Amino acid sequence: MRTLSDILEEYEFLEGDERYSMLIELGRELEDMPDALKTDATLVRGCSAAVWVYPTEQTEKLHFLADSNAAITKGIVALVIAAVQDKPAREVANMDVTAALEPFDLKNQLSSNRTQGVPNMIALVKEHAARLATA
């Protein structure tokens, strides 16, 4: 998976529909999440589309599998995952993920119902990181 800074570098050169296309492509690049993991327990609440997030590593570094049933939403999920993937739990627990995503200006690029679940997904990731960081 590309880093958030690499993604932003490309994203800044794009406009409108090209940005939508890039988000869709980012979603396609997510590591496959087996259907067996797409359960009510891994479902992120508050999203207009179905979004699942599953932590796979219980070590010092975080690793998540994630998926969505909507292409653009899956791209947004990929952005959130890129911000935290394979980073130390303590770093993510203290990280301002919302601020890391601000340069993408998602609220002005996408409809509000496409981004409404982002805070819930960030909260889920940070809660998991905090549990590991204090373990």
Side-chain angles (χ1 to χ4, degrees):
M1 173 169 260
R2 295 186 268 173
T3 66
L4 199 60
S5 59
D6 288 344
I7 295 167
L8 180 60
E9 191 175 309
E10 183 180 342
Y11 192 82
E12 288 176 327
F13 286 104
L14 304 175
E15 294 182 16
D17 289 345
E18 293 172 322
R19 287 183 170 183
Y20 282 116
S21 295
M22 183 182 181
L23 285 174
I24 291 168
E25 185 57 36
L26 283 173
R28 288 184 186 132
E29 292 174 11
L30 277 174
E31 200 174 332
D32 285 337
M33 182 177 190
D35 288 340
L37 295 177
K38 297 175 190 174
T39 66
D40 195 55
T42 61
L43 188 67
V44 178
R45 307 287 178 229
C47 297
S48 59
V51 173
W52 302 272
V53 176
Y54 181 80
T56 62
E57 300 291 324
Q58 298 298 319
T59 61
E60 289 188 22
K61 290 195 176 190
L62 300 177
H63 192 85
F64 294 92
L65 295 178
D67 201 357
S68 176
N69 64 351
I72 291 175
T73 302
K74 189 172 178 176
I76 296 167
V77 168
L79 281 179
V80 174
I81 296 300
V84 301
Q85 194 76 299
D86 299 326
K87 291 189 176 172
R90 189 170 308 282
E91 179 183 331
V92 174
N94 296 317
M95 178 183 195
D96 187 343
V97 179
T98 302
L101 297 176
E102 280 177 6
F104 292 92
D105 195 25
L106 295 174
K107 290 188 182 206
N108 291 319
Q109 302 291 329
L110 304 166
S111 64
S112 62
N113 66 334
R114 290 216 191 273
T115 58
Q116 68 188 9
V118 172
N120 295 351
M121 184 177 168
I122 291 171
L124 184 147
V125 166
K126 286 185 64 71
E127 286 167 14
H128 179 70
R131 276 194 306 276
L132 290 182
T134 59

